Amino acid sequence: MATIDDVARAAGVSASTVSYVLSGKRPISPGTRERVERSIRDLGYRPHAGARALASARSNVIALMVPFRAGVNVGIIMQFVGGAVAAARQHDHDVLLLTQDDTSGVDRVASSSMADGIIVMDVEAQDTRLPLLRTLRQPSVLIGVPDDSSGLSCVDLDFTAAGRLAVRTLAEAGHRHVALIGASRARYERRANYAVRMRAGVQDEAELRGVGVTVVPSEPSFAGGVAAAVELLALDPDVSGVVVHNESALPGVVAALAERGLRVPQDVSVLAVGAADAAESLSQPLTSIDVPGHDIGRVAVEMVMAHLGGETLAGTRLISPRLTDRASVAAPARRALAG
Amino acid sequence: MATIDDVARAAGVSASTVSYVLSGKRPISPGTRERVERSIRDLGYRPHAGARALASARSNVIALMVPFRAGVNVGIIMQFVGGAVAAARQHDHDVLLLTQDDTSGVDRVASSSMADGIIVMDVEAQDTRLPLLRTLRQPSVLIGVPDDSSGLSCVDLDFTAAGRLAVRTLAEAGHRHVALIGASRARYERRANYAVRMRAGVQDEAELRGVGVTVVPSEPSFAGGVAAAVELLALDPDVSGVVVHNESALPGVVAALAERGLRVPQDVSVLAVGAADAAESLSQPLTSIDVPGHDIGRVAVEMVMAHLGGETLAGTRLISPRLTDRASVAAPARRALAG
DNA sequence: GTGAAAGCGCTAACAC
DNA sequence: GTGTTAGCGCTTTCAC
């Protein structure tokens, strides 16, 4: 492996000049730049990452803590990771992968200076990692908004707005009895912020519009979706518009409705919230509000970079929901209107 | 941040002694070890990763190149990555994430000494990355087996054996007309090794047993699965056992069969090959041969570690397929037996 | 069983 | 516009 000294010698300059050519931190005459760049190419020179990190106190790596546990939608995680990696590369950074169950991962990576910044996914209301994150030298960005986000930077889809948008869409189509089939009971109990905020948005908007609303938790599985749909129809037989915020349960919900002879959207309108592919890949695609995983990942990285660039303000950034129409929402049938 | 000198001073020893306490590369008296470990704890000392990499020529990082492109099953990728990260941590290594479309990623990471070894997923028969991999100082391990694997280490599920096992299972249940609904035409054309090997196993075993076999490619989507099933029933109306090696098409295939009034397993047996959850999460779970993503990831890391430990032999490691019975394979109905 | 000292390859003052 | 030099924090001979 060629070193910076090899390059310097080949180009007839000093090592620091090579370094400055590379970093652009001081003006270089065209001739010198030319010769240095040529030598770099000829020798196939690449700066040693460790040496660079040692001398500059920058690793050009950002760490990403990803949940590999079950129940978390993998499609959306991949989207998110893809977005984060792409954005990191644009800023000349690489991504180090940490898993949620590697509890000391953040600490290790931060205090050994392996990473310049840290992104933590799937943050819960009372996340136990927050105190540690606040003590770090490196900036961190959370995906999800905890109860106390003071001093921390967060990004997420605006789930409250998504809940509102979903109900508004149904209400404007004429529905008077709507429902939310949401996250699992366990998730609500752990106060998973996205589940709670979504529910709040749905309930607020329903109240605002004087629309009846039923909320049913659902296990993240086909069977869970079936059970939730059955429970919902028992609780409110007149329900005509259903918001499903649970990718894994979605096929079950749809199947259970079909089983009851309820056609979408003639008899019941269905609107999905979650990973794009979940709503799209069903035998009947559904109108949906997609969680923009790729964008969230990108924004998280941009926020880390802003901090590294001297930006000092921490804050929460909520991304506006957008609805993709796939014709699964329509005016309610008479049955419901009469209800 | 405390440095090794701070620890040395606090413990009343030299820096090299601290280093040796940490690495265990030379005997340390109990008393000294005690004091050093105490100081390390008191100061919350963590070696600086860059300094360590510079001095030792080891980064304790392994790079993982992951395909984020569409069509590749995300569930299995996550499994794989999870297995790799877990195994890497057991060997005191971290994982750096590279994406497939970052074409210069391997080169960058290798020649800047960011990683000690490299794992490349989703390798194709004539993979363009192979020449580069062969020139690297760092060992690399491929997931998938290219046409020419000389000088390289590979791991994968033994898809040929999986194809055989699938056909054997159907044949032993009494089926005389079987089929493979496989990867997309594009994948066969790019000679994606897993698709080709699977098909070979299916065909060999069918020939061996004198069983008729029809192979139908399928696009990786619900619609693709429907189309493939329809095409299959046209090509061989007597088919009674179907192997589906395409997670995304699986729901479509199942739906198309149901649409035709064909019950599983009474009228037609279905056996899935692929991600565990794809076969498991259907409304009717299917007997399947699961791709053991977690194990493959783990083995890939072990192979890298073996190379780093001085192991010099490159080679291919194929993991034996295992069948999980979910009662979707049964004896053929008379219709088929009579055919 | 322990210490001193020479790097590892780079960056960033400080000089001119 | 360029060179000189002093580290960055660690590992690992070599020496005792």
Side-chain angles (χ1 to χ4, degrees):
Chain A
M1 287 287 96
T3 72
I4 199 170
D5 284 314
D6 297 331
V7 175
R9 214 167 303 127
V13 299
S14 73
S16 64
T17 296
V18 177
S19 177
Y20 284 119
V21 165
L22 250 20
S23 70
K25 288 187 181 173
R26 80 181 183 190
I28 303 283
S29 74
T32 306
R33 146 159 295 123
E34 182 90 1
R35 275 176 300 129
V36 169
E37 284 173 345
R38 217 181 155 338
S39 305
I40 288 179
R41 248 177 290 115
D42 290 353
L43 296 173
Y45 168 71
R46 289 288 176 96
H48 186 287
R52 192 168 240 190
L54 180 57
S56 68
R58 278 292 177 89
S59 64
N60 276 42
V61 165
I62 83 171
L64 208 65
M65 190 166 225
V66 179
F68 276 80
R69 94 167 95 81
V72 181
N73 184 281
V74 294
I76 223 152
I77 290 182
M78 289 290 285
Q79 264 195 39
F80 167 80
V81 174
V85 172
R89 288 303 309 141
Q90 283 187 356
H91 292 269
D92 195 30
H93 279 243
D94 273 286
V95 170
L96 195 79
L97 200 65
L98 259 30
T99 60
Q100 208 91 305
D101 42 67
D102 179 8
T103 47
S104 62
V106 166
D107 190 28
R108 173 167 45 82
V109 157
S111 41
S112 66
S113 298
M114 293 190 79
D116 297 336
I118 297 175
I119 297 176
V120 175
M121 293 188 68
D122 198 35
V123 170
E124 289 179 354
Q126 306 272 354
D127 208 287
T128 54
R129 296 166 294 187
L130 303 189
L132 172 60
L133 290 175
R134 283 189 236 261
T135 69
L136 261 37
R137 284 174 296 128
Q138 293 93 338
S140 55
V141 171
L142 319 183
I143 310 301
V145 186
D147 284 346
D148 175 12
S149 66
S150 60
L152 294 169
S153 293
C154 315
V155 213
D156 209 348
L157 174 64
D158 189 340
F159 279 102
T160 309
R164 291 186 179 286
L165 174 56
V167 170
R168 174 154 38 99
T169 303
L170 291 172
E172 286 178 349
H175 296 269
R176 310 298 302 159
H177 286 250
V178 304
L180 169 65
I181 292 182
S184 68
R185 225 171 279 277
R187 288 249 117 192
Y188 282 115
E189 273 156 18
R190 288 182 79 177
R191 314 234 8 252
N193 69 87
Y194 67 87
V196 172
R197 287 185 287 140
M198 175 76 195
R199 186 175 57 183
V202 164
Q203 289 173 329
D204 285 2
E205 187 74 16
E207 186 167 347
L208 192 77
R209 295 184 175 261
V211 163
V213 63
T214 309
V215 176
V216 182
S218 171
E219 291 307 310
S221 64
F222 188 93
V226 171
V230 168
E231 183 182 346
L232 169 59
L233 291 171
L235 288 172
D236 182 4
D238 292 335
V239 67
S240 65
V242 181
V243 180
V244 183
H245 181 203
N246 189 325
E247 291 94 350
S248 312
L250 192 52
V253 171
V254 170
L257 294 176
E259 174 98 345
R260 295 289 178 107
L262 296 172
R263 293 159 307 164
V264 174
Q266 295 92 331
D267 301 312
V268 55
S269 290
V270 177
L271 195 161
V273 179
D277 60 315
E280 204 169 23
S281 67
L282 291 173
S283 52
Q284 176 182 5
L286 300 177
T287 293
S288 68
I289 296 170
D290 300 328
V291 174
H294 199 88
D295 293 334
I296 294 178
R298 188 174 46 69
V299 169
V301 168
E302 308 287 0
M303 289 175 81
V304 169
M305 292 303 156
H307 275 108
L308 293 178
E311 173 72 65
T312 126
L313 245 60
T316 295
R317 182 131 163 230
L318 296 179
I319 296 176
S320 293
R322 289 212 305 214
L323 191 98
T324 303
D325 188 0
R326 297 198 188 83
S328 69
V329 172
R334 288 197 206 298
R335 174 183 71 91
L337 283 174
Chain B
M1 286 286 97
T3 71
I4 200 169
D5 284 314
D6 298 331
V7 174
R9 215 167 303 126
V13 299
S14 73
S16 62
T17 296
V18 176
S19 177
Y20 284 118
V21 165
L22 250 20
S23 70
K25 288 188 180 173
R26 79 181 184 190
I28 303 284
S29 73
T32 305
R33 143 157 297 122
E34 183 90 0
R35 274 176 301 131
V36 169
E37 284 172 345
R38 216 179 158 337
S39 305
I40 288 179
R41 247 177 290 115
D42 291 351
L43 297 174
Y45 168 71
R46 289 287 178 97
H48 185 288
R52 193 167 238 191
L54 180 56
S56 68
R58 277 292 177 88
S59 64
N60 276 40
V61 165
I62 83 171
L64 208 63
M65 190 165 223
V66 179
F68 276 80
R69 94 168 94 82
V72 181
N73 183 278
V74 292
I76 222 152
I77 291 181
M78 289 290 285
Q79 265 195 37
F80 168 81
V81 174
V85 173
R89 287 303 309 138
Q90 284 186 355
H91 292 269
D92 195 31
H93 279 242
D94 273 287
V95 169
L96 195 79
L97 200 65
L98 260 30
T99 59
Q100 209 90 306
D101 42 65
D102 178 8
T103 47
S104 62
V106 166
D107 189 27
R108 173 167 43 83
V109 156
S111 40
S112 66
S113 298
M114 295 190 77
D116 297 335
I118 297 175
I119 297 176
V120 176
M121 292 187 70
D122 199 36
V123 170
E124 289 177 353
Q126 307 271 353
D127 208 287
T128 54
R129 297 166 294 186
L130 303 189
L132 172 60
L133 290 175
R134 283 189 236 260
T135 69
L136 262 43
R137 285 174 296 126
Q138 292 93 336
S140 55
V141 171
L142 319 182
I143 310 300
V145 185
D147 285 345
D148 174 11
S149 66
S150 60
L152 294 168
S153 293
C154 315
V155 213
D156 209 348
L157 173 64
D158 189 338
F159 279 101
T160 309
R164 291 187 179 284
L165 173 57
V167 170
R168 174 154 38 100
T169 303
L170 292 173
E172 286 178 350
H175 296 269
R176 310 297 303 160
H177 286 250
V178 304
L180 169 65
I181 292 181
S184 68
R185 224 170 280 278
R187 287 249 115 192
Y188 283 116
E189 273 157 17
R190 287 182 79 177
R191 312 235 11 251
N193 68 88
Y194 67 88
V196 172
R197 288 185 288 139
M198 176 77 194
R199 185 175 58 182
V202 164
Q203 290 173 328
D204 286 0
E205 187 75 15
E207 185 166 349
L208 192 76
R209 294 183 175 262
V211 163
V213 61
T214 309
V215 175
V216 183
S218 171
E219 290 309 309
S221 65
F222 188 93
V226 171
V230 168
E231 183 183 347
L232 169 59
L233 290 171
L235 287 172
D236 181 2
D238 292 335
V239 68
S240 64
V242 181
V243 180
V244 183
H245 182 203
N246 189 326
E247 291 92 352
S248 311
L250 192 53
V253 171
V254 169
L257 294 176
E259 173 99 345
R260 295 291 176 108
L262 296 173
R263 295 158 304 164
V264 174
Q266 295 92 329
D267 300 314
V268 55
S269 291
V270 177
L271 195 161
V273 179
D277 60 315
E280 203 169 24
S281 67
L282 291 172
S283 53
Q284 176 183 4
L286 299 178
T287 294
S288 68
I289 296 171
D290 301 329
V291 175
H294 199 88
D295 292 334
I296 293 178
R298 189 175 45 70
V299 169
V301 168
E302 308 288 0
M303 288 175 82
V304 169
M305 293 303 156
H307 275 108
L308 292 178
E311 173 73 64
T312 128
L313 244 61
T316 295
R317 183 133 160 226
L318 297 178
I319 297 176
S320 292
R322 288 213 307 215
L323 191 98
T324 303
D325 188 0
R326 295 197 189 84
S328 68
V329 172
R334 289 200 206 295
R335 172 185 73 92
L337 284 174

